[in-house]
Amino acid sequence: MNVTIGAKAPAFSLVNTERQKVSLDDFKGQNLVILFFPMAFTSTCTAELCSIRDNIATYEGLNSTVVGISVDSPFTLKQFKTDQNLNFPLLSDFNKEASPAYGAFYEQFMLDLKGVSKRAAFVVDKDGVIRYAEVLEEAKQLPDFEAVKNTLSSLQ
């Protein structure tokens, strides 16, 4: 499935690093940046999420919350979050439901791994509507974070 700008964001219910269920509805009334990423502990994913960590005040200043989602287990994500001092939630799509729903899913990835999240960025507004969508085919590319911030600014 592909998500389009102006459409309702696909619902999800995932487990965070504290083993608690987190759903899209938990963010109702606030702007949400959803970052799908292929795998914890890889160089590009680490650089991307550490960049968000270092700039979290910018996103908070734009009245938004950021979450990272991958198909890694909640246990792997907890260690990754701890090791990298990440200051925003990481959610496990281990059952591979949210990634395909957002069109951010490799059926086949490198090393013959199957079912891995693509790198992607979405902005969901306070009403649960997609306002920005970027799904990258190349795992080494990063989302256009300036476009994400511009979208958030336009929602103020």
Side-chain angles (χ1 to χ4, degrees), residues 34-38 48 69 93 98-99 102 104 117-120 122:
I34 301 172
L35 301 174
F36 287 92
F37 62 98
E48 175 188 15
I69 299 175
D93 188 22
S99 300
Y102 280 78
S117 299
K118 289 182 179 179
R119 192 169 320 283
F122 297 91

Side-chain angles (χ1 to χ4, degrees), residues 4 12 18 23 42 47-49 51 73 77 79 83 88 96 111 115 119 121 140 142 144-145 149:
T4 57
F12 60 76
E18 304 307 315
S23 72
T42 58
E48 175 188 15
L49 298 182
S51 169
S73 76
L77 290 175
Q79 190 62 53
D83 287 0
F88 55 92
K96 301 171 181 157
L111 304 175
R119 192 169 320 283
K140 291 204 176 286
L142 292 175
D144 183 347
F145 289 115
K149 290 181 233 178

Side-chain angles (χ1 to χ4, degrees), residues 22-37:
V22 176
S23 72
L24 180 64
D25 285 342
D26 294 336
F27 302 98
K28 213 169 230 159
Q30 55 190 299
N31 297 317
L32 178 65
V33 177
I34 301 172
L35 301 174
F36 287 92
F37 62 98

Side-chain angles (χ1 to χ4, degrees), residues 39 77 135:
M39 296 180 155
L77 290 175
V135 178

Side-chain angles (χ1 to χ4, degrees), residues 5-140:
I5 293 171
K8 279 286 195 191
F12 60 76
S13 181
L14 303 172
V15 177
N16 68 13
T17 54
E18 304 307 315
R19 294 186 253 168
Q20 300 164 325
K21 285 278 190 176
V22 176
S23 72
L24 180 64
D25 285 342
D26 294 336
F27 302 98
K28 213 169 230 159
Q30 55 190 299
N31 297 317
L32 178 65
V33 177
I34 301 172
L35 301 174
F36 287 92
F37 62 98
M39 296 180 155
F41 297 104
T42 58
S43 59
T44 305
C45 294
T46 300
E48 175 188 15
L49 298 182
C50 287
S51 169
I52 297 298
R53 174 200 66 203
D54 296 345
N55 293 290
I56 198 71
T58 301
Y59 294 93
E60 291 170 348
L62 292 168
N63 298 313
S64 65
T65 300
V66 177
V67 297
I69 299 175
S70 81
V71 298
D72 293 301
S73 76
F75 312 103
T76 299
L77 290 175
K78 182 173 184 151
Q79 190 62 53
F80 182 56
K81 183 177 179 178
T82 299
D83 287 0
Q84 300 305 321
N85 252 348
L86 300 177
N87 49 8
F88 55 92
L90 297 181
L91 308 178
S92 172
D93 188 22
F94 190 80
N95 293 331
K96 301 171 181 157
E97 296 168 355
S99 300
Y102 280 78
F105 190 69
Y106 291 111
E107 293 288 339
Q108 184 91 19
F109 193 57
M110 65 180 195
L111 304 175
D112 207 26
L113 299 175
K114 294 177 179 23
V116 175
S117 299
K118 289 182 179 179
R119 192 169 320 283
F122 297 91
V123 174
V124 180
D125 72 12
K126 296 175 182 182
D127 299 315
V129 175
I130 300 285
R131 296 298 173 192
Y132 180 83
E134 180 182 13
V135 178
L136 300 166
E137 291 303 319
E138 176 56 49
K140 291 204 176 286

